[in-house]
């Protein structure tokens, strides 16, 4: 244990050192107009300092209740035994409801190191699930194995190494289909719409390549989809990939990847030594650049649930894909690949077989799911896929943006309305 702790410290210091060195050769625009110690950045640090470890997790229900709605909490068990807590916001009663108890069913699926809380941490007028519920939709907020709402299992404990043997591929093939089936069973509907953010979009596109799943979907709305990420401009991701730091971390710890808000409390001192590190933290949180569409006073709430845990293996897979410029299964090495796949290299993940109508929204200021990678993804989807670019949006703006309820969500709601009406006409 002591040896592993020492090695982890060395790796962390190495990451900081290379990040500091990298910054001198990297032309990154400052997220705060050249001043990392601006009022906005200080608000971010202050927000983190107000959150204790005891506060982490468990705030989804209270946020929805505070917004004046009546949520439900449900437990979904996957085919391989993971127990996921998901949340439902039934269609609001002031609307004339159609068959199945609502206009339709919508499932919102969060991204990497995130949870269902990401959809409800904004103010009550700025949250997509509230807008959908008030428009008459039966809304479900998904979670995935490993985050704070996916720690249960029928036979394993979350302290078991085997519990953490998963990537987003299992999220797509196991977690999402289980949630879809459960939501349809409870609601009585035949089909639903999935709105995904980041990794959640990749999950939906991948799951929909299975005809059994695609038959249950009206539409996919992919917000800032993270599929190909070889042009990602997030320095820390480059370090994990190019220097194989993620590989080393996985060698010493095959279990949980967990950060905490307490790390951010140490940022002021680190910023004096490595400004680029601070810039990357802002990128990870806000989507960068610039951070002018974020209600920074809401970060106190955000850090109660973010960043969420995932597996080391999942982080390593994203690192592998960034390095290789691919969208594929986990790379175990030649011998491991032969044992797991029967091939020397990991199989590519195929999203081309989906026949589900899809709308893709991407931000031109997104430095994680970079706009340069979007055409490659679109080439694999149906030629009927609708593509919408958001010129002023970064990665986090799609879920946390102060103007999302004006600039983005009305368009999403309109798209869902049209897809629901089209399905209704087909049933007549």
């Amino acid at each position: 244990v002591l040896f592993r702790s020492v090695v982890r410290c060395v790796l962390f210091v190495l990451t900081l050192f290379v990040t500091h060195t990298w910054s001198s050769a990297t032309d990154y625009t400052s997220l705060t107009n050249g001043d990392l110690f601006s009022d906005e950045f200080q608000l971010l640090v202050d927000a983190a300092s107000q959150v204790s470890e005891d506060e982490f997790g468990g705030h989804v229900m209270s946020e929805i209740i505070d917004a004046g709605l009546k949520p439900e909490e449900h437990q979904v068990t996957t085919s391989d035994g993971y127990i996921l807590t998901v949340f439902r916001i039934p269609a609001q009663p002031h609307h004339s409801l159609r068959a199945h108890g609502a206009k339709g069913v919508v499932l919102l699926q969060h991204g990497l190191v995130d949870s269902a809380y990401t959809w409800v941490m904004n103010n009550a007028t700025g949250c997509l699930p509230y807008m959908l519920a008030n428009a008459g939709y039966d809304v479900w907020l998904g979670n995935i194995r490993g985050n704070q709402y996916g720690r249960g299992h029928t036979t394993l404990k979350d302290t078991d190494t085997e519990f953490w043997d998963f990537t987003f591929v299992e999220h797509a093939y196991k977690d999402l289909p289980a949630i879809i089936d459960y939501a349809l069973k409870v609601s009585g509907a035949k089909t639903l719409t999935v709105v995904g953010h980041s990794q959640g979009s990749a999950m939906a596109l991948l799951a929909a390549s299975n005809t059994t799943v695609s038959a249950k979907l009206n539409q996919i709305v992919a917000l800032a989809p993270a599929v190909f990420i070889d042009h990602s401009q997030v320095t820390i991701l480059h370090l994990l990939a190019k220097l194989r730091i993620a590989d080393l971390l996985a060698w010493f710890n095959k279990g949980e990847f967990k950060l905490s808000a307490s790390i951010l409390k140490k940022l002021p001192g680190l910023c004096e030594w490595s400004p680029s590190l601070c810039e990357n933290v802002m990128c990870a949180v806000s989507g960068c650049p610039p951070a002018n569409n974020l209600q920074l006073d809401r970060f106190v709430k955000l850090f109660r649930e973010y960043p969420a845990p995932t597996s080391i293996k999942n982080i390593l897979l994203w690192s592998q894909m960034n390095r290789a410029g691919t969208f594929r299964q986990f790379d175990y090495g030649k011998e491991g690949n032969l044992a797991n796949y029967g091939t020397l290299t990991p199989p590519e993940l195929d999203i081309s077989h989906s026949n589900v109508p899809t709308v893709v929204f991407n931000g031109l200021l997104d430095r994680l799911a970079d706009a340069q990678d979007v055409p490659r993804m679109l080439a694999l989807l149906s030629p009927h896929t609708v593509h919408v670019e958001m010129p002023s949006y970064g990665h986090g703006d799609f879920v946390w943006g102060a103007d999302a309820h004006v600039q983005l969500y009305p368009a999403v709601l309109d798209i869902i309305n049209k897809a629901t009406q089209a399905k209704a006409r087909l049933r007549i």
Side-chain angles (χ1 to χ4, degrees):
V1 174
L2 177 61
F3 176 67
R4 288 188 176 187
S5 297
V6 170
V7 172
R8 288 174 192 165
C9 288
V10 171
L11 290 174
F12 180 68
V13 171
L14 175 61
T15 302
L16 296 183
F17 173 75
V18 179
T19 303
H20 179 65
T21 304
W22 191 300
S23 66
S24 63
T26 305
D27 184 20
Y28 282 168
T29 303
S30 172
L31 298 178
T32 53
N33 297 321
D35 182 10
L36 284 168
F37 304 101
S38 67
D39 292 340
E40 287 139 333
F41 184 77
Q42 190 59 49
L43 274 173
L44 177 65
V45 177
D46 289 345
S49 69
Q50 295 178 47
V51 179
S52 70
E53 292 299 316
D54 295 336
E55 289 183 277
F56 193 82
H59 299 91
V60 174
M61 290 286 284
S62 60
E63 285 288 338
I64 300 172
I65 292 170
D66 288 347
L69 291 90
K70 297 180 179 180
E72 300 172 3
E73 183 175 304
H74 295 259
Q75 306 295 317
V76 176
T77 302
T78 67
S79 60
D80 53 350
Y82 286 84
I83 301 171
L84 315 175
T85 298
V86 300
F87 301 95
R88 181 191 189 192
I89 308 175
Q92 294 307 287
H94 53 269
H95 286 271
S96 57
L97 304 182
R98 299 180 179 182
H100 312 309
K103 286 170 65 175
V105 182
V106 181
L107 169 62
L108 306 183
Q109 183 55 56
H110 65 79
L112 179 66
V113 294
D114 211 344
S115 71
Y117 186 72
T118 203
W119 301 105
V120 298
M121 60 75 60
N122 224 322
N123 62 50
T125 59
C127 293
L128 179 59
Y130 304 161
M131 294 175 68
L132 288 166
N134 284 322
Y137 286 95
D138 187 353
V139 182
W140 291 77
L141 309 179
N143 279 299
I144 52 180
R145 62 187 67 192
N147 77 4
Q148 58 267 39
Y149 298 101
R151 313 288 290 195
H153 195 279
T154 54
T155 60
L156 299 173
K157 297 178 180 179
D158 64 4
T159 52
D160 296 333
T161 300
E162 186 181 349
F163 179 94
W164 298 99
D165 185 19
F166 64 79
T167 69
F168 73 87
V169 178
E170 282 70 38
H171 296 329
Y173 290 160
K174 302 287 187 179
D175 297 349
L176 194 59
I179 297 170
I180 290 170
D181 286 345
Y182 185 91
L184 292 177
K185 179 180 179 181
V186 172
S187 68
K190 300 287 186 184
T191 57
L192 56 74
T193 293
V194 177
V195 180
H197 175 243
S198 188
Q199 177 184 266
S201 296
M203 289 166 52
L205 294 171
L206 191 54
S209 289
N210 181 311
T211 55
T212 301
V213 175
S214 65
K216 302 169 185 176
L217 302 181
N218 296 325
Q219 191 168 50
I220 295 171
V221 180
L223 307 177
V227 176
F228 297 105
I229 58 167
D230 35 316
H231 287 95
S232 173
Q233 299 177 53
V234 177
T235 307
I236 291 176
L237 180 59
H238 280 292
L239 293 174
L240 290 172
K242 307 305 180 186
L243 300 181
R244 297 183 178 268
I245 292 173
D247 301 58
L248 293 172
L249 288 172
W251 190 70
F252 285 101
N253 180 6
K254 298 185 183 301
E256 181 178 8
F257 179 86
K258 182 179 180 180
L259 301 175
S260 84
S262 63
I263 294 174
L264 296 177
K265 298 175 186 179
K266 302 177 176 62
L267 280 181
L270 283 174
C271 289
E272 294 179 5
W273 179 66
S274 179
S276 66
L277 178 63
C278 294
E279 185 169 336
N280 274 276
V281 172
M282 281 293 285
C283 268
V285 173
S286 70
C288 68
N292 61 2
N293 188 33
L294 298 165
Q295 296 176 309
L296 292 170
D297 59 334
R298 306 293 292 182
F299 278 134
V300 174
K301 287 191 171 184
L302 174 63
F303 290 135
R304 291 174 180 169
E305 302 265 354
Y306 181 90
T310 185
S311 68
I312 286 283
K313 186 178 181 182
N314 193 32
I315 296 296
L316 180 53
L317 176 54
W318 282 107
S319 171
Q320 291 176 350
M321 293 192 302
N322 174 252
R323 184 170 61 243
T326 59
F327 186 61
R328 67 184 186 185
Q329 292 270 16
F330 188 83
D331 190 348
Y332 293 97
K334 291 181 179 180
E335 292 185 4
N337 291 337
L338 280 172
N340 284 276
Y341 312 122
T343 57
L344 291 174
T345 58
E348 298 294 315
L349 293 168
D350 191 358
I351 60 173
S352 65
H353 293 306
S354 171
N355 61 357
V356 179
T358 300
V359 180
V360 172
F361 288 83
N362 77 285
L364 297 186
L365 298 183
D366 192 334
R367 296 173 80 175
L368 176 58
D370 193 277
Q372 296 179 77
D373 293 319
V374 173
R376 187 176 171 197
M377 176 195 68
L378 291 173
L380 298 176
L381 302 177
S382 164
H384 302 295
T385 298
V386 178
H387 177 211
V388 181
E389 290 184 331
M390 304 290 290
S392 63
Y393 267 39
H395 201 67
D397 291 313
F398 290 89
V399 283
W400 305 327
D403 68 358
H405 66 293
V406 176
Q407 298 296 329
L408 173 64
Y409 296 156
V412 172
L413 183 56
D414 183 59
I415 288 165
I416 294 173
N417 281 336
K418 289 177 179 177
T420 303
Q421 292 165 6
K423 276 288 184 179
R425 284 194 294 269
L426 288 175
R427 287 196 296 266
I428 295 175

